[in-house]
Amino acid sequence: MVKGLYTAYTGMINEQHRMDVLTNNLANANTNGYKKEGATSQSFSDQLALKIKDYTDAPFTARGLGIINPGVKIGEGYVDWSEGPMKETGHKYDMAIGGYGFFGIEYTNKAVNIERDVPNQTNIMYTRDGNFTVTEEGELVTQDGDFVLSQDGGHIQLDPSLPVEVSMNGNIIQDGEIVSTIGVFDFEKTTYADGRITYDNLEHYGENMYIPVNGANPIEGTGRVYSGFLEQSNVSVVDEMVNMIAVQRNYDTNQRMITTIDDTLDIAANQLGRLQ
């Protein structure tokens, strides 16, 4: 019976984790280029239950009662890399990637420790959010001021006084000449039979950015660049709400199980052995 308390407890912890993932997806339902996340569940290994100190059998002999499972544990998280719908904005510096690939960003951590005079840390990050703009100096940057990288890894310098055209292969054209090429980068990925893909060497950094891990190096992406469009989140609000209802019901079921077992233990401990 006490094992039942533990099993219900592990179920509640698992459902709470799933709820955290779902709420994060809903919070980013309107975030450009956001890829929804999910969580898996795993069962603990089955164990053999033993009955000990039962002197109906030979003394000091443990008798097997059967197989039990201690409950469920949080499994691995995953990212749904399916492409989100594109929204036309009409702004030349809004860009979306059709197919596989990421924009390269020279991301600067803006949490500066002024008292200790710690400089900003700069890393190369990757994102599907193409909501860009141009500074007064003509540099293509994100809305947070981080530099967008060209295909050769450098900053993109434009003439803000001239009109801009962006071809589907990422070439930026001003005054009839190619002045730079938008960097579209990709990484090694695993493709499943149903068409799903996964990136084993990319981690979600935060702020809609991804960072390569395990020494992963970018390769040239095959995606097409669409100027005047933004890729929307691939989160379905309706699906996430339905999943939240299911998670809440599972959580409540485990909670009621704990209450029931606790009431039973109370009767066994405080009422059955009471002298009349």
Side-chain angles (χ1 to χ4, degrees):
M1 189 175 294
V2 175
K3 292 185 177 65
L5 285 173
Y6 183 78
T7 300
Y9 160 76
T10 60
M12 292 175 67
I13 294 297
N14 182 72
E15 296 304 326
Q16 183 176 354
H17 175 69
R18 291 181 60 198
M19 181 66 75
D20 291 340
V21 173
L22 291 173
T23 53
N24 182 64
N25 287 339
L26 285 175
N28 288 280
N30 294 319
T31 301
N32 296 326
Y34 177 81
K35 302 303 178 187
K36 72 176 181 179
E37 299 178 336
T40 61
S41 302
Q42 296 177 346
S43 64
F44 287 103
S45 299
D46 291 338
Q47 297 178 355
L48 176 64
L50 300 175
K51 187 176 183 181
I52 61 176
K53 295 183 179 180
D54 181 4
Y55 297 105
T56 59
D57 292 331
F60 308 106
T61 299
R63 185 174 62 180
L65 297 178
I67 300 298
I68 63 171
N69 188 285
V72 66
K73 62 180 177 180
I74 298 172
E76 297 181 353
Y78 64 89
V79 177
D80 180 358
W81 294 102
S82 60
E83 190 174 331
M86 290 191 185
K87 177 182 178 181
E88 185 174 6
T89 66
H91 301 294
K92 289 291 184 180
Y93 299 118
D94 284 341
M95 301 180 196
I97 297 176
Y100 300 132
F102 301 85
F103 295 111
I105 306 296
E106 187 179 285
Y107 174 80
T108 300
N109 186 355
K110 302 164 186 66
V112 184
N113 191 330
I114 300 177
E115 295 181 359
R116 298 184 180 180
D117 194 25
V118 177
N120 291 343
Q121 295 180 348
T122 299
N123 294 290
I124 304 302
M125 303 283 183
Y126 300 89
T127 184
R128 295 277 296 191
D129 183 3
N131 185 205
F132 303 142
T133 187
V134 171
T135 65
E136 294 180 355
E137 293 77 20
E139 292 175 308
L140 189 66
V141 297
T142 66
Q143 294 297 321
D144 292 329
D146 296 308
F147 295 107
V148 181
L149 300 181
S150 64
Q151 195 64 56
D152 59 8
H155 296 179
I156 296 177
Q157 183 68 48
L158 306 175
D159 186 343
S161 64
L162 294 177
V164 172
E165 293 184 11
V166 181
S167 65
M168 295 182 68
N169 60 5
N171 290 334
I172 302 177
I173 302 170
Q174 287 189 303
D175 199 21
E177 296 184 357
I178 299 175
V179 296
S180 187
T181 301
I182 295 286
V184 178
F185 306 94
D186 203 3
F187 295 85
E188 293 294 333
K189 50 188 173 289
T190 302
T191 304
Y192 297 97
D194 59 1
R196 292 181 299 111
I197 67 167
T198 182
Y199 289 95
D200 298 324
N201 297 318
L202 276 185
E203 285 187 355
H204 202 172
Y205 175 82
E207 300 191 40
N208 213 13
M209 299 281 185
Y210 297 92
I211 184 170
V213 295
N214 303 324
N217 293 314
I219 59 178
E220 185 174 350
T222 59
R224 312 285 284 179
V225 178
Y226 294 88
S227 176
F229 292 82
L230 285 175
E231 181 186 4
Q232 303 298 288
S233 166
N234 66 352
V235 174
S236 170
V237 175
V238 174
D239 289 345
E240 299 303 289
M241 292 295 294
V242 171
N243 291 333
M244 287 184 70
I245 294 173
V247 167
Q248 184 63 50
R249 288 178 176 174
N250 292 338
Y251 187 92
D252 292 341
T253 299
N254 285 290
Q255 191 174 42
R256 287 195 298 271
M257 182 182 296
I258 289 178
T259 302
T260 301
I261 295 175
D262 181 65
D263 292 341
T264 304
L265 290 173
D266 177 66
I267 294 173
N270 299 317
Q271 297 183 29
L272 293 181
R274 182 182 301 169
L275 296 176
Q276 300 296 329

